[in-house]
Amino acid sequence: INLGEIIFSFFFFQAEDGIRDAQESRGLGDVYKRQIIHLLESKNHPIQSEACWIMLNISTGPTEYVDTIVNLRVVDLLNKLLDSVDQKVIEHALWALGNIAGDTTYFRDVVLDSRGLLDKLGDYFDHFEENTFSVQKKLIFLVSNLARKPYPPYEKVYQFLPFFVNLIYDSPDEESHIDVLYTLSYLTADGEDQVEEAVSCGIVPGALSALKNDSEYILAPALRLVGNISTGTNEHTK
């Protein structure tokens, strides 16, 4: 079964609460590729949301599937959908972008370089509390995948440092708290200047507090973060 057939199955057998059993279809190749682009460019919010849902499911598959949708300029279309007023569309677009960014370094860089994306994400963090719980989680998920190893140029992601320092004290849930701690460990991993900036944002009490958590999933990134801070200057380790 080829990618066109998988896309067909997602389009016709997808449900809001998951993916129904796929049925074999007659592959129509480029027809379905054009249909996906058409759906993502729709002005109808439910259709946009469902099209994004297709993308986020495909982007959890093998790298060659992700490569296919990236080559269809899906990243820029998802970026454009972040201008939507519909929170479900935004959630699904963020989720799909996060999946794409988490697949390979090349795809991560494609997402990072999508025009205006980082500014939009900054705006969302500026109005973080105005977003739904699900959108908040997907924002954190996407930025975490943008900042992970091999680390991108710091100037592309440093703007998120103050937001994530705040989130270390008030994450939406434990899963997001884990992503926040890992992201902060990425943002402080490459030198004293990064550590200095994080310390000036107030990261130390939150990092030390995370070390007292009983969850091993919290402790692992917390230890990594505190280890990064401890490699800074003597002032950082007092």
Side-chain angles (χ1 to χ4, degrees), residues 89-163:
V89 172
I90 295 167
E91 175 197 348
H92 288 172
L94 289 168
W95 197 349
L97 287 167
N99 285 347
I100 293 169
D103 192 273
T104 69
T105 303
Y106 171 74
F107 297 146
R108 188 272 309 275
D109 291 343
V110 170
V111 176
L112 273 172
D113 292 337
S114 185
R115 180 172 295 183
L117 175 68
L118 298 180
D119 289 337
K120 290 180 186 179
L121 296 180
D123 288 340
Y124 275 114
F125 278 107
D126 280 334
H127 303 92
F128 191 75
E129 297 299 329
E130 298 174 18
N131 297 295
T132 64
F133 172 78
S134 295
V135 168
Q136 291 175 359
K137 284 174 60 66
K138 299 311 181 296
L139 279 167
I140 293 169
F141 167 69
L142 171 54
V143 173
S144 184
N145 278 345
L146 291 176
R148 68 193 305 173
K149 276 187 174 182
Y151 305 124
Y154 187 63
E155 63 271 14
K156 290 190 175 183
V157 292
Y158 80 94
Q159 64 168 306
F160 301 113
L161 178 63
F163 300 120

Coordinates of all heavy atoms in Angstrom, one line a residue, residues 89-163:
V89 N -8.2 24.1 15.0 CA -7.3 24.2 13.9 C -5.9 24.5 14.3 O -4.9 23.8 13.9 CB -7.8 25.3 12.9 CG1 -6.8 25.5 11.8 CG2 -9.1 24.9 12.3
I90 N -5.7 25.4 15.2 CA -4.4 25.8 15.7 C -3.8 24.6 16.5 O -2.6 24.3 16.2 CB -4.5 27.0 16.7 CG1 -5.0 28.2 15.9 CG2 -3.2 27.3 17.4 CD1 -5.5 29.4 16.8
E91 N -4.5 23.9 17.3 CA -4.0 22.8 18.0 C -3.5 21.7 17.1 O -2.3 21.2 17.2 CB -5.1 22.2 18.9 CG -4.6 20.9 19.6 CD -5.8 20.0 20.1 OE1 -7.0 20.5 20.1 OE2 -5.6 18.9 20.5
H92 N -4.3 21.4 16.1 CA -3.8 20.3 15.1 C -2.7 20.8 14.3 O -1.8 19.9 13.9 CB -5.0 19.9 14.3 CG -6.1 19.1 15.0 ND1 -7.3 18.8 14.5 CD2 -6.1 18.6 16.2 CE1 -8.0 18.1 15.3 NE2 -7.2 17.9 16.4
A93 N -2.6 22.0 13.9 CA -1.5 22.5 13.1 C -0.2 22.5 13.9 O 0.8 22.1 13.4 CB -1.8 24.0 12.6
L94 N -0.3 22.9 15.2 CA 0.9 22.9 16.0 C 1.4 21.5 16.2 O 2.6 21.2 16.2 CB 0.5 23.5 17.4 CG 0.4 25.0 17.4 CD1 -0.3 25.4 18.8 CD2 1.7 25.8 17.2
W95 N 0.4 20.6 16.4 CA 0.8 19.2 16.7 C 1.5 18.6 15.5 O 2.5 17.9 15.6 CB -0.5 18.4 17.0 CG -0.4 17.1 17.6 CD1 0.7 16.4 17.8 CD2 -1.5 16.3 18.2 NE1 0.5 15.2 18.4 CE2 -0.9 15.1 18.7 CE3 -2.8 16.5 18.3 CZ2 -1.7 14.1 19.3 CZ3 -3.6 15.5 18.9 CH2 -3.0 14.3 19.4
A96 N 0.9 18.8 14.3 CA 1.6 18.3 13.0 C 2.9 18.9 12.8 O 3.9 18.2 12.5 CB 0.7 18.6 11.8
L97 N 3.1 20.2 13.1 CA 4.4 20.8 13.0 C 5.4 20.2 14.0 O 6.6 20.0 13.7 CB 4.3 22.3 13.2 CG 3.7 23.1 12.0 CD1 3.3 24.5 12.5 CD2 4.6 23.2 10.8
G98 N 4.9 20.0 15.2 CA 5.8 19.3 16.2 C 6.2 18.0 15.8 O 7.4 17.6 16.0
N99 N 5.3 17.2 15.2 CA 5.7 15.9 14.7 C 6.7 15.9 13.6 O 7.7 15.2 13.6 CB 4.5 15.1 14.2 CG 3.5 14.6 15.3 OD1 3.9 14.6 16.4 ND2 2.3 14.2 14.9
I100 N 6.5 16.9 12.7 CA 7.5 17.0 11.5 C 8.8 17.4 12.1 O 9.9 16.9 11.7 CB 6.9 18.1 10.5 CG1 5.7 17.5 9.8 CG2 8.0 18.4 9.5 CD1 4.9 18.5 9.0
A101 N 8.8 18.4 13.0 CA 10.1 18.9 13.5 C 10.9 17.8 14.3 O 12.1 17.9 14.4 CB 9.9 20.1 14.4
G102 N 10.1 16.9 14.9 CA 10.7 15.9 15.7 C 11.3 14.7 14.9 O 11.9 13.8 15.5
D103 N 11.0 14.7 13.6 CA 11.4 13.5 12.8 C 12.9 13.5 12.5 O 13.6 12.5 12.7 CB 10.6 13.4 11.5 CG 10.7 12.1 10.8 OD1 11.7 12.0 10.0 OD2 9.9 11.2 11.1
T104 N 13.4 14.6 11.8 CA 14.8 14.6 11.5 C 15.3 16.1 11.7 O 14.5 17.0 11.7 CB 15.1 14.2 10.0 OG1 14.6 15.2 9.2 CG2 14.5 12.9 9.7
T105 N 16.6 16.3 11.7 CA 17.2 17.6 11.9 C 16.8 18.5 10.7 O 16.5 19.6 10.8 CB 18.7 17.6 12.0 OG1 19.0 16.8 13.1 CG2 19.3 19.0 12.2
Y106 N 16.8 17.9 9.5 CA 16.5 18.6 8.3 C 15.0 19.1 8.3 O 14.8 20.3 8.1 CB 16.6 17.7 7.0 CG 16.1 18.4 5.8 CD1 16.8 19.4 5.2 CD2 14.9 17.9 5.2 CE1 16.3 20.0 4.0 CE2 14.4 18.5 4.1 CZ 15.1 19.6 3.5 OH 14.5 20.2 2.4
F107 N 14.1 18.3 8.7 CA 12.7 18.7 8.8 C 12.5 19.7 9.9 O 11.7 20.7 9.8 CB 11.8 17.5 9.1 CG 11.8 16.5 7.9 CD1 11.6 15.1 8.2 CD2 11.9 16.9 6.6 CE1 11.6 14.2 7.2 CE2 11.9 15.9 5.6 CZ 11.8 14.6 5.9
R108 N 13.3 19.5 11.0 CA 13.2 20.6 12.1 C 13.6 21.9 11.6 O 13.0 22.9 11.9 CB 14.2 20.1 13.2 CG 14.1 20.9 14.5 CD 15.1 22.1 14.5 NE 16.4 21.9 14.2 CZ 17.4 21.4 15.0 NH1 17.1 21.2 16.3 NH2 18.6 21.2 14.6
D109 N 14.7 21.9 10.7 CA 15.2 23.2 10.2 C 14.2 23.8 9.2 O 14.1 25.0 9.1 CB 16.5 23.0 9.6 CG 17.6 22.8 10.6 OD1 17.4 23.0 11.8 OD2 18.7 22.3 10.2
V110 N 13.5 22.9 8.5 CA 12.4 23.4 7.5 C 11.4 24.2 8.3 O 10.9 25.2 7.9 CB 11.8 22.3 6.7 CG1 10.6 22.7 6.0 CG2 12.9 21.7 5.7
V111 N 11.0 23.6 9.5 CA 9.9 24.2 10.3 C 10.5 25.5 10.9 O 9.8 26.6 10.9 CB 9.5 23.3 11.4 CG1 8.5 24.0 12.4 CG2 8.8 22.0 10.8
L112 N 11.7 25.5 11.4 CA 12.3 26.7 12.0 C 12.4 27.8 11.0 O 12.2 29.0 11.3 CB 13.7 26.4 12.5 CG 13.9 25.9 13.9 CD1 15.4 25.4 14.1 CD2 13.5 26.9 14.9
D113 N 12.6 27.5 9.7 CA 12.8 28.5 8.7 C 11.5 28.9 8.0 O 11.6 29.8 7.1 CB 13.8 28.0 7.7 CG 15.2 27.9 8.2 OD1 15.5 28.5 9.2 OD2 16.0 27.1 7.7
S114 N 10.4 28.3 8.4 CA 9.2 28.7 7.7 C 8.9 30.2 8.1 O 8.9 30.5 9.3 CB 8.0 27.8 8.2 OG 6.8 28.1 7.5
R115 N 8.6 31.0 7.1 CA 8.6 32.4 7.3 C 7.5 32.9 8.3 O 6.4 32.5 8.3 CB 8.2 33.1 6.0 CG 8.1 34.7 6.1 CD 8.0 35.3 4.7 NE 9.2 35.1 3.9 CZ 9.4 35.7 2.7 NH1 8.4 36.4 2.2 NH2 10.5 35.4 2.0
G116 N 8.0 33.6 9.3 CA 7.1 34.2 10.3 C 6.7 33.2 11.4 O 6.0 33.7 12.4
L117 N 7.1 32.0 11.4 CA 6.6 31.0 12.3 C 7.0 31.3 13.8 O 6.2 31.3 14.7 CB 7.1 29.6 12.0 CG 6.7 28.5 13.0 CD1 5.2 28.3 13.0 CD2 7.5 27.2 12.7
L118 N 8.3 31.6 13.9 CA 8.8 31.9 15.3 C 8.2 33.1 15.9 O 7.9 33.1 17.1 CB 10.3 32.0 15.3 CG 11.1 30.8 14.8 CD1 12.6 31.0 14.8 CD2 10.8 29.6 15.6
D119 N 7.9 34.1 15.1 CA 7.2 35.3 15.6 C 5.8 34.9 16.1 O 5.3 35.4 17.1 CB 7.1 36.4 14.6 CG 8.5 37.0 14.3 OD1 9.3 37.0 15.2 OD2 8.7 37.6 13.2
K120 N 5.1 34.1 15.3 CA 3.7 33.7 15.7 C 3.8 32.9 17.0 O 2.9 33.1 17.9 CB 3.1 32.8 14.6 CG 2.8 33.5 13.3 CD 2.2 32.5 12.3 CE 2.0 33.2 10.9 NZ 1.4 32.3 9.9
L121 N 4.7 32.0 17.1 CA 4.8 31.2 18.4 C 5.1 32.2 19.6 O 4.5 32.0 20.6 CB 5.9 30.2 18.3 CG 5.7 29.1 17.2 CD1 6.9 28.1 17.2 CD2 4.4 28.3 17.4
G122 N 5.9 33.2 19.3 CA 6.2 34.1 20.4 C 4.9 34.8 20.8 O 4.7 35.1 22.0
D123 N 4.1 35.2 19.8 CA 2.8 35.9 20.1 C 1.9 34.9 20.9 O 1.2 35.4 21.8 CB 2.1 36.3 18.8 CG 2.8 37.5 18.1 OD1 3.5 38.2 18.8 OD2 2.6 37.6 16.9
Y124 N 1.9 33.7 20.6 CA 1.1 32.7 21.3 C 1.5 32.6 22.8 O 0.7 32.5 23.7 CB 1.1 31.3 20.6 CG 0.1 31.2 19.5 CD1 0.5 31.0 18.2 CD2 -1.3 31.2 19.8 CE1 -0.5 30.9 17.2 CE2 -2.2 31.1 18.8 CZ -1.8 30.9 17.5 OH -2.7 30.8 16.5
F125 N 2.8 32.6 23.0 CA 3.3 32.5 24.4 C 3.0 33.8 25.1 O 2.8 33.8 26.3 CB 4.8 32.2 24.4 CG 5.1 30.7 24.2 CD1 5.6 30.2 23.0 CD2 4.9 29.9 25.3 CE1 5.9 28.9 22.9 CE2 5.1 28.5 25.1 CZ 5.6 28.0 23.9
D126 N 3.0 35.0 24.4 CA 2.7 36.2 25.0 C 1.3 36.2 25.6 O 0.9 36.9 26.5 CB 2.8 37.4 24.0 CG 4.3 37.8 23.9 OD1 5.1 37.6 24.8 OD2 4.6 38.4 22.8
H127 N 0.4 35.4 24.9 CA -1.0 35.3 25.3 C -1.4 33.9 25.7 O -2.4 33.4 25.4 CB -1.9 35.8 24.2 CG -1.6 37.2 23.7 ND1 -0.7 37.5 22.7 CD2 -2.1 38.4 24.2 CE1 -0.7 38.8 22.6 NE2 -1.5 39.4 23.4
F128 N -0.4 33.3 26.4 CA -0.5 31.8 26.7 C -1.8 31.4 27.3 O -2.5 30.5 27.0 CB 0.7 31.4 27.5 CG 0.9 29.9 27.7 CD1 1.4 29.2 26.6 CD2 0.6 29.3 28.9 CE1 1.6 27.8 26.7 CE2 0.8 27.9 29.0 CZ 1.3 27.2 27.9
E129 N -2.2 32.2 28.4 CA -3.4 31.8 29.1 C -4.7 32.0 28.4 O -5.7 31.5 28.8 CB -3.5 32.7 30.4 CG -2.3 32.5 31.4 CD -2.2 31.0 31.9 OE1 -3.3 30.4 32.0 OE2 -1.1 30.6 32.1
E130 N -4.6 32.7 27.2 CA -5.9 32.8 26.4 C -6.1 31.6 25.5 O -7.2 31.5 24.9 CB -5.7 34.1 25.5 CG -5.6 35.4 26.4 CD -5.3 36.6 25.5 OE1 -5.6 36.5 24.3 OE2 -4.8 37.6 26.0
N131 N -5.2 30.7 25.5 CA -5.3 29.5 24.6 C -5.9 28.4 25.4 O -5.8 28.3 26.7 CB -4.0 29.1 24.1 CG -3.4 30.2 23.2 OD1 -3.9 30.4 22.1 ND2 -2.3 30.7 23.6
T132 N -6.5 27.4 24.7 CA -7.0 26.2 25.4 C -5.9 25.4 26.0 O -4.7 25.5 25.6 CB -7.8 25.3 24.4 OG1 -6.9 24.8 23.4 CG2 -9.0 26.1 23.7
F133 N -6.2 24.5 26.9 CA -5.3 23.6 27.5 C -4.5 22.8 26.4 O -3.3 22.7 26.5 CB -6.0 22.7 28.4 CG -5.2 21.6 29.0 CD1 -4.3 21.8 30.1 CD2 -5.3 20.3 28.5 CE1 -3.6 20.7 30.6 CE2 -4.6 19.2 29.0 CZ -3.7 19.5 30.1
S134 N -5.2 22.3 25.4 CA -4.6 21.5 24.4 C -3.7 22.3 23.5 O -2.6 21.8 23.1 CB -5.7 20.9 23.5 OG -6.5 20.0 24.2
V135 N -4.0 23.6 23.2 CA -3.1 24.4 22.4 C -1.9 24.7 23.2 O -0.8 24.7 22.7 CB -3.8 25.7 22.0 CG1 -2.8 26.7 21.5 CG2 -4.9 25.4 20.9
Q136 N -2.0 25.0 24.5 CA -0.9 25.2 25.4 C 0.1 24.1 25.3 O 1.3 24.2 25.2 CB -1.3 25.5 26.8 CG -2.1 26.8 27.0 CD -2.6 26.9 28.5 OE1 -2.4 26.0 29.3 NE2 -3.3 28.0 28.7
K137 N -0.4 22.8 25.4 CA 0.4 21.7 25.4 C 1.1 21.5 24.1 O 2.3 21.1 24.0 CB -0.4 20.4 25.7 CG -0.8 20.2 27.2 CD -1.8 19.1 27.3 CE -1.2 17.8 26.9 NZ -0.1 17.3 27.7
K138 N 0.4 21.8 23.0 CA 1.0 21.6 21.7 C 2.1 22.7 21.4 O 3.1 22.4 20.7 CB 0.0 21.6 20.6 CG -1.0 20.5 20.7 CD -0.4 19.1 20.9 CE -1.4 18.0 21.0 NZ -2.3 18.1 22.2
L139 N 1.9 23.9 21.9 CA 2.9 24.9 21.8 C 4.2 24.5 22.5 O 5.3 24.6 21.9 CB 2.4 26.2 22.5 CG 1.5 27.1 21.7 CD1 0.9 28.2 22.6 CD2 2.2 27.8 20.6
I140 N 4.1 23.9 23.7 CA 5.3 23.5 24.4 C 5.9 22.3 23.6 O 7.1 22.3 23.5 CB 4.9 23.0 25.8 CG1 4.4 24.3 26.6 CG2 6.0 22.3 26.5 CD1 3.7 23.9 28.0
F141 N 5.1 21.4 23.2 CA 5.6 20.2 22.4 C 6.4 20.7 21.2 O 7.5 20.2 20.9 CB 4.4 19.4 22.0 CG 4.7 18.3 21.0 CD1 5.5 17.2 21.3 CD2 4.1 18.4 19.7 CE1 5.8 16.2 20.4 CE2 4.4 17.4 18.8 CZ 5.2 16.3 19.1
L142 N 5.8 21.6 20.4 CA 6.5 22.1 19.2 C 7.8 22.7 19.5 O 8.9 22.4 18.9 CB 5.6 23.0 18.4 CG 6.2 23.8 17.2 CD1 6.8 22.8 16.2 CD2 5.2 24.7 16.5
V143 N 7.9 23.7 20.4 CA 9.1 24.4 20.7 C 10.1 23.4 21.3 O 11.3 23.5 21.0 CB 8.8 25.5 21.7 CG1 10.2 26.2 22.2 CG2 8.0 26.6 21.0
S144 N 9.7 22.4 22.1 CA 10.6 21.4 22.6 C 11.3 20.7 21.4 O 12.5 20.5 21.5 CB 9.9 20.4 23.5 OG 10.8 19.5 24.1
N145 N 10.6 20.3 20.4 CA 11.2 19.6 19.3 C 12.0 20.6 18.4 O 13.0 20.1 17.7 CB 10.1 19.0 18.4 CG 9.7 17.6 19.0 OD1 10.3 17.1 19.8 ND2 8.5 17.1 18.5
L146 N 11.7 21.9 18.4 CA 12.5 22.8 17.7 C 13.9 23.0 18.3 O 14.9 23.4 17.7 CB 11.8 24.1 17.5 CG 10.6 24.2 16.7 CD1 9.9 25.5 16.7 CD2 10.9 23.8 15.2
A147 N 13.9 22.9 19.7 CA 15.2 23.2 20.4 C 16.1 22.0 20.7 O 17.2 22.2 21.1 CB 14.8 23.9 21.7
R148 N 15.6 20.8 20.4 CA 16.4 19.6 20.8 C 17.7 19.4 19.9 O 17.9 20.1 18.9 CB 15.5 18.4 20.7 CG 15.1 18.1 19.2 CD 14.0 17.0 19.2 NE 14.3 15.8 20.0 CZ 13.4 14.9 20.2 NH1 12.2 15.0 19.7 NH2 13.8 13.8 20.9
K149 N 18.5 18.5 20.4 CA 19.7 18.1 19.6 C 19.4 17.6 18.3 O 18.4 16.9 18.1 CB 20.5 17.1 20.4 CG 21.4 17.6 21.5 CD 22.2 16.4 22.1 CE 23.2 16.9 23.1 NZ 24.0 15.8 23.6
P150 N 20.4 17.8 17.3 CA 21.5 18.7 17.4 C 21.0 20.2 17.5 O 20.1 20.5 16.7 CB 22.3 18.5 16.2 CG 21.4 17.9 15.2 CD 20.4 17.1 16.0
Y151 N 21.5 20.9 18.4 CA 20.9 22.2 18.8 C 20.9 23.2 17.6 O 21.9 23.3 16.9 CB 21.6 22.9 20.0 CG 21.7 22.0 21.2 CD1 22.9 21.6 21.8 CD2 20.5 21.4 21.7 CE1 22.9 20.8 22.9 CE2 20.5 20.6 22.8 CZ 21.7 20.3 23.4 OH 21.8 19.4 24.5
P152 N 19.8 23.9 17.4 CA 19.7 24.9 16.3 C 20.5 26.1 16.7 O 20.9 26.2 17.9 CB 18.2 25.2 16.2 CG 17.7 25.0 17.6 CD 18.5 23.8 18.2
P153 N 20.8 27.0 15.8 CA 21.4 28.3 16.2 C 20.6 29.0 17.3 O 19.4 29.1 17.3 CB 21.3 29.1 14.9 CG 21.3 28.1 13.8 CD 20.5 27.0 14.4
Y154 N 21.3 29.3 18.4 CA 20.6 29.8 19.6 C 19.8 31.0 19.3 O 18.7 31.2 19.9 CB 21.7 30.2 20.7 CG 21.1 30.5 22.0 CD1 20.4 29.6 22.7 CD2 21.3 31.8 22.6 CE1 19.8 29.9 24.0 CE2 20.8 32.1 23.8 CZ 20.1 31.2 24.5 OH 19.5 31.5 25.7
E155 N 20.2 31.9 18.4 CA 19.4 33.1 18.1 C 18.0 32.8 17.6 O 17.1 33.6 17.6 CB 20.2 34.0 17.1 CG 20.4 33.4 15.8 CD 21.7 32.7 15.7 OE1 22.3 32.3 16.7 OE2 22.1 32.4 14.5
K156 N 17.8 31.6 17.1 CA 16.5 31.2 16.5 C 15.5 30.8 17.6 O 14.3 30.9 17.4 CB 16.6 30.1 15.5 CG 17.3 30.5 14.2 CD 17.2 29.4 13.2 CE 17.7 29.9 11.8 NZ 17.5 28.9 10.8
V157 N 16.0 30.4 18.8 CA 15.1 29.8 19.8 C 15.3 30.5 21.2 O 14.5 30.2 22.1 CB 15.4 28.3 20.0 CG1 14.9 27.5 18.8 CG2 16.8 28.0 20.3
Y158 N 16.2 31.4 21.3 CA 16.4 32.0 22.6 C 15.2 32.8 23.1 O 15.0 33.0 24.3 CB 17.7 32.9 22.6 CG 17.4 34.3 22.0 CD1 17.1 35.4 22.8 CD2 17.5 34.5 20.6 CE1 16.9 36.7 22.3 CE2 17.3 35.8 20.1 CZ 16.9 36.8 20.9 OH 16.7 38.1 20.4
Q159 N 14.4 33.3 22.2 CA 13.2 34.1 22.6 C 12.3 33.3 23.5 O 11.5 33.9 24.2 CB 12.5 34.6 21.4 CG 11.8 33.5 20.5 CD 10.9 34.1 19.5 OE1 9.9 34.8 19.8 NE2 11.1 33.7 18.2
F160 N 12.3 32.0 23.4 CA 11.4 31.2 24.2 C 11.9 30.9 25.6 O 11.1 30.4 26.4 CB 11.2 29.8 23.5 CG 10.6 30.0 22.1 CD1 11.4 29.7 21.0 CD2 9.4 30.5 21.9 CE1 10.9 29.8 19.7 CE2 8.8 30.7 20.6 CZ 9.6 30.3 19.5
L161 N 13.1 31.3 25.9 CA 13.7 31.0 27.2 C 12.9 31.6 28.4 O 12.5 30.9 29.3 CB 15.1 31.5 27.3 CG 15.8 31.3 28.7 CD1 16.0 29.8 29.0 CD2 17.2 32.0 28.6
P162 N 12.5 32.9 28.4 CA 11.7 33.5 29.5 C 10.4 32.8 29.6 O 9.9 32.6 30.8 CB 11.6 34.9 29.1 CG 12.7 35.2 28.1 CD 12.9 34.0 27.4
F163 N 9.7 32.4 28.5 CA 8.4 31.8 28.6 C 8.6 30.4 29.3 O 7.8 30.0 30.2 CB 7.8 31.6 27.2 CG 7.6 32.8 26.5 CD1 8.2 33.0 25.2 CD2 6.8 33.8 26.9 CE1 8.0 34.2 24.5 CE2 6.6 35.0 26.2 CZ 7.2 35.2 25.0

